[in-house]
Amino acid sequence: MAVVTSSFPTSVAVFALITLHVGALDTFIAAVYEHAVILPNRTERPVSQHEALLLMNKNIDVLEGAVKQAADQGARIIVTPEDALYGWKFTRETVFPYLEYIPDPQVNWVPCKDPQRFGHTPVQARLSCLAKNNSIYILANIGDKKPCNSQDSTCPPNGYYQYNTNVVYNTEGQLVARYHKYHLYSEPQFDVPEKPELVTFNTPFGRFGIFTCFDILFHDPAVTLVKDFHVDTILFPSAWMNVLPLLTAVEFHSAWAMGMRVNLLVANIHHVSLNMTGSGIYAPNSPKVYHHDMETASGKILLSEVESHPRGSPDYPAAVNWSTYATAIKPFSVQKNTFKGFISRDGFNFTELFENAGNLTVCQKELCCHLSYRMLEKEENEVYVLGAFTGLHGRRRREYWQVCTMLKCKTANLTTCGRPVETASTRFAMFSLSGTFGTEYVFPEVLLTKIHLSPGKFEVLKDGRLINKNGSSEPILTVSLFGRWYSKDLLYSSCKTSNSAITYLRIFTLLMIVALQNIVII
Ligand SMILES: *[C@@H]1O[C@H](CO)[C@@H](O)[C@H](O)[C@H]1NC(C)=O
Ligand SMILES: *[C@@H]1O[C@H](CO)[C@@H](O)[C@H](O)[C@H]1NC(C)=O
Ligand SMILES: *[C@@H]1O[C@H](CO)[C@@H](O)[C@H](O)[C@H]1NC(C)=O
Ligand SMILES: *[C@@H]1O[C@H](CO)[C@@H](O)[C@H](O)[C@H]1NC(C)=O
Ligand SMILES: *[C@@H]1O[C@H](CO)[C@@H](O)[C@H](O)[C@H]1NC(C)=O
Ligand SMILES: *[C@@H]1O[C@H](CO)[C@@H](O)[C@H](O)[C@H]1NC(C)=O
Ligand SMILES: *[C@@H]1O[C@H](CO)[C@@H](O)[C@H](O)[C@H]1NC(C)=O
């Protein structure tokens, strides 16, 4: 079980792949568990290690039920969510009692058999025994603490780096992978590792890669694992808050699997009042099974058979050039009544789908989006628009997005286009969406009324057109091509809570910029 943390000679990788095919499986059953995490009570003061362990054990009791169920049904591997043992609302101090020292997997450790080897690590021992007893691979997300030298300028005041960490145990209970999350999303309790870690491990049912939640929106490690390390399946624990219209969990994650042409196993937290739901098992050509549930408060296990090596499968989708069609055609009559609207903070150029059928183009800077469509019938009170956005996204303006989207507006008032809307009744007899993308990383999204996916009812052609197939659609919320142009991202080193020097420098720079802007305005 190779764990790769840096560059890996290709010859070794090829050799490993060949040897693995001996006794390898063509398909396997995968499981993911959407967990309704039992949260700790809010507290300013750290709880005792004992209290922390009590809470984590309550959560593991629930996960244990899911693990046994998965194993009973023949699953080889189960993914559990990010933050599934203790939740997310912490300071560095209040999370500390929940952390354990997690060694590098190269030490060859079976915590179940040798629980004292690295000090007090009851959580790792229990997870390892769960994997061993049930003869199943388990991915869990826990917290790692790594002592550092307080003389070192980056070492935090308490003498520990603290990491949001995924661990994987094999069927013998051995620790085979450890990954420290790189792209933190408002997590002051954790540190950012020095560089993105590229963590893979091999099994008789394919090569696996790992990352966590917000990481999926960036190039490293996510894209590199697929492109350069040729993993077959990504394990993806998350605590994902849904954001319509473009970033709802099931919608975006299924699109990422399709755009990257890789299996993706997603286990999300279930917490309805924070809009956290949406787990699934996604193959390169279609979602296998997914779950989005804003009604009940309970967790849910999902199982599905997936290909061990999707690249070798006859129905592996062909590579797509996302701009071939869109750059080859003459733009459809560019609309005169283009108007500006917003999805979150991003300013889109929108144009309305006035007729029951038509050909439209809307552009923003270098990106032109083309849509051909025919509605089954135009519903009186439902308005759809075609939108284009290219630029740095959101409040932070660091990530470069290119988006073509056809979406239903919240109401017939055009000022509501781009706001979250969950139901629709307009069905389409046909649609074809394309754009003059400058990036090769585009994720095709189709989201139907009441947050449903549309497996088997759309496809992407090699020339970059996203089209319907197998007849008319169910009522549509959005059809989108979500592009990420990573090389245009603004480079930044994420906030390392420990590194006060950099933080101060950044705040200082920010104040200078604000000051300069004021001077310019004056
Ligand atoms: C939270 O506090 C309540 C009341 O004191 C207690 O009953 C409950 O067990 C606590 N929950 C946790 C997770 O500690
Ligand atoms: C694993 O099995 C052993 C022996 O059957 C048992 O003592 C132990 O409690 C089990 N542990 C877990 C985590 O299931
Ligand atoms: C959940 O999503 C809805 C609409 O999709 C939004 O109005 C609400 O503010 C979100 N809640 C949270 C806690 O973000
Ligand atoms: C995609 O197609 C466009 C237009 O046909 C071409 O200019 C571009 O080089 C192609 N991109 C790739 C990555 O092959
Ligand atoms: C859209 O364009 C296609 C091909 O160029 C044409 O056949 C079709 O009639 C057009 N549809 C409308 C409604 O203009
Ligand atoms: C939005 O569309 C209008 C009309 O096509 C165009 O003049 C304008 O430049 C576009 N906005 C941007 C930012 O490209
Ligand atoms: C549309 O909504 C805006 C504010 O959201 C409002 O000012 C305007 O009057 C509305 N227009 C119509 C026609 O209702």
Side-chain angles (χ1 to χ4, degrees):
M1 302 305 153
V3 175
V4 181
T5 41
S6 59
S7 66
F8 194 65
T10 319
S11 55
V12 178
V14 170
F15 176 72
L17 284 175
I18 291 166
T19 50
L20 267 165
H21 276 287
V22 180
L25 300 167
D26 290 340
T27 66
F28 66 101
I29 296 173
V32 300
Y33 184 64
E34 181 161 314
H35 177 47
V37 56
I38 304 160
L39 295 170
N41 286 324
R42 289 288 298 274
T43 166
E44 310 279 295
R45 289 228 308 252
V47 298
S48 68
Q49 244 187 3
H50 176 71
E51 261 182 275
L53 184 57
L54 280 179
L55 176 78
M56 291 193 281
N57 271 326
K58 275 195 211 165
N59 278 299
I60 302 177
D61 290 345
V62 180
L63 300 184
E64 180 169 347
V67 168
K68 289 192 149 61
Q69 212 182 326
D72 281 349
Q73 298 189 44
R76 295 289 178 135
I77 189 163
I78 180 165
V79 182
T80 63
E82 183 188 26
D83 301 332
L85 300 199
Y86 45 74
W88 42 83
K89 218 164 170 66
F90 292 102
T91 62
R92 289 183 68 81
E93 291 72 32
T94 56
V95 84
F96 196 76
Y98 295 88
L99 310 179
E100 292 185 357
Y101 176 87
I102 307 171
D104 187 312
Q106 279 171 358
V107 299
N108 231 323
W109 183 35
V110 180
C112 187
K113 281 201 218 149
D114 192 358
Q116 305 298 333
R117 187 170 158 198
F118 295 96
H120 186 63
T121 55
V123 170
Q124 291 172 84
R126 186 168 174 201
L127 292 169
S128 158
C129 290
L130 262 181
K132 185 166 179 288
N133 281 14
N134 294 286
S135 203
I136 187 170
Y137 280 75
I138 298 180
L139 181 145
N141 176 269
I142 58 182
D144 190 3
K145 59 178 178 196
K146 282 279 158 325
C148 49
N149 185 345
S150 50
Q151 305 297 308
D152 190 336
S153 66
T154 61
C155 185
N158 71 342
Y160 287 93
Y161 290 118
Q162 304 180 173
Y163 298 117
N164 177 333
T165 310
N166 301 332
V167 287
V168 179
Y169 301 98
N170 70 10
T171 52
E172 307 299 316
Q174 185 191 346
L175 176 69
V176 294
R178 178 192 69 182
Y179 169 73
H180 297 129
K181 184 180 183 185
Y182 189 72
H183 297 282
L184 300 180
Y185 188 86
S186 331
E187 297 168 78
Q189 69 271 37
F190 290 123
D191 296 307
V192 177
E194 222 173 307
K195 55 177 198 279
E197 298 172 345
L198 295 158
V199 175
T200 68
F201 62 98
N202 294 321
T203 73
F205 43 96
R207 173 189 279 265
F208 288 76
I210 309 171
F211 52 82
T212 310
C213 205
F214 197 38
D215 283 332
I216 200 172
L217 282 161
F218 299 86
H219 189 274
D220 286 302
V223 171
T224 302
L225 284 172
V226 179
K227 271 198 70 166
D228 300 341
F229 289 71
H230 306 290
V231 298
D232 299 297
T233 302
I234 296 282
L235 306 177
F236 182 63
S238 68
W240 187 280
M241 288 176 73
N242 292 319
V243 186
L244 285 166
L246 299 173
L247 283 175
T248 285
V250 296
E251 171 192 36
F252 181 67
H253 300 155
S254 61
W256 196 88
M258 216 178 210
M260 294 306 300
R261 298 188 296 152
V262 71
N263 292 327
L264 180 65
L265 310 186
V266 183
N268 199 5
I269 288 285
H270 189 78
H271 193 295
V272 169
S273 60
L274 283 180
N275 287 345
M276 287 181 186
T277 178
S279 304
I281 297 176
Y282 306 114
N285 54 0
S286 182
K288 293 283 190 178
V289 56
Y290 70 96
H291 176 70
H292 176 101
D293 165 26
M294 290 291 280
E295 306 294 318
T296 73
S298 50
K300 171 90 178 173
I301 189 164
L302 304 178
L303 293 121
S304 175
E305 187 172 17
V306 295
E307 305 257 4
S308 302
H309 304 282
R311 281 184 191 82
S313 142
D315 52 3
Y316 189 61
V320 173
N321 180 326
W322 295 98
S323 61
T324 304
Y325 177 82
T327 50
I329 66 163
K330 201 158 73 65
F332 304 134
S333 60
V334 176
Q335 303 303 299
K336 286 176 206 74
N337 40 16
T338 300
F339 64 96
K340 183 146 183 184
F342 286 89
I343 296 184
S344 309
R345 290 164 197 257
D346 299 333
F348 276 67
N349 265 5
F350 284 131
T351 190
E352 187 179 344
L353 278 59
F354 271 117
E355 311 289 336
N356 283 17
N359 297 307
L360 301 176
T361 295
V362 66
C363 301
Q364 188 174 82
K365 292 185 239 161
E366 75 280 1
L367 179 69
C368 283
C369 304
H370 309 304
L371 174 73
S372 297
Y373 71 97
R374 196 164 69 251
M375 295 170 181
L376 270 188
E377 58 194 38
K378 193 156 162 40
E379 304 284 335
E380 271 301 298
N381 53 352
E382 298 205 329
V383 169
Y384 285 76
V385 290
L386 173 65
F389 171 76
T390 184
L392 293 167
H393 150 77
R395 182 172 48 83
R396 308 189 315 161
R397 305 233 169 263
R398 284 173 180 160
E399 297 110 48
Y400 202 99
W401 286 18
Q402 283 196 317
V403 180
C404 290
T405 181
M406 178 196 84
L407 54 80
K408 191 198 140 180
C409 302
K410 187 170 165 64
T411 70
N413 186 333
L414 291 178
T415 62
T416 67
C417 300
R419 297 217 200 129
V421 51
E422 293 178 14
T423 57
S425 49
T426 302
R427 309 200 302 145
F428 285 71
M430 85 67 114
F431 59 78
S432 167
L433 179 68
S434 62
T436 56
F437 291 96
T439 174
E440 61 182 293
Y441 301 105
V442 178
F443 311 116
E445 303 184 330
V446 176
L447 192 63
L448 304 177
T449 184
K450 297 182 183 155
I451 322 294
H452 281 89
L453 299 180
S454 190
K457 296 276 281 178
F458 70 95
E459 66 183 320
V460 177
L461 304 181
K462 275 188 280 191
D463 64 10
R465 273 177 293 171
L466 166 55
I467 63 169
N468 68 308
K469 76 175 191 190
N470 299 333
S472 352
S473 72
E474 293 301 305
I476 288 180
L477 293 177
T478 166
V479 172
S480 306
L481 290 166
F482 183 110
R484 276 289 280 113
W485 199 341
Y486 303 107
S487 59
K488 282 169 116 43
D489 285 2
L490 287 191
L491 291 178
Y492 65 97
S493 57
S494 314
C495 258
K496 217 179 206 183
T497 345
S498 57
N499 199 335
S500 45
I502 290 188
T503 308
Y504 284 133
L505 193 67
R506 191 177 297 121
I507 292 170
F508 179 68
T509 313
L510 210 77
L511 289 173
M512 285 301 290
I513 292 170
V514 171
L516 285 172
Q517 278 175 346
N518 285 340
I519 291 166
V520 170
I521 290 164
I522 290 162

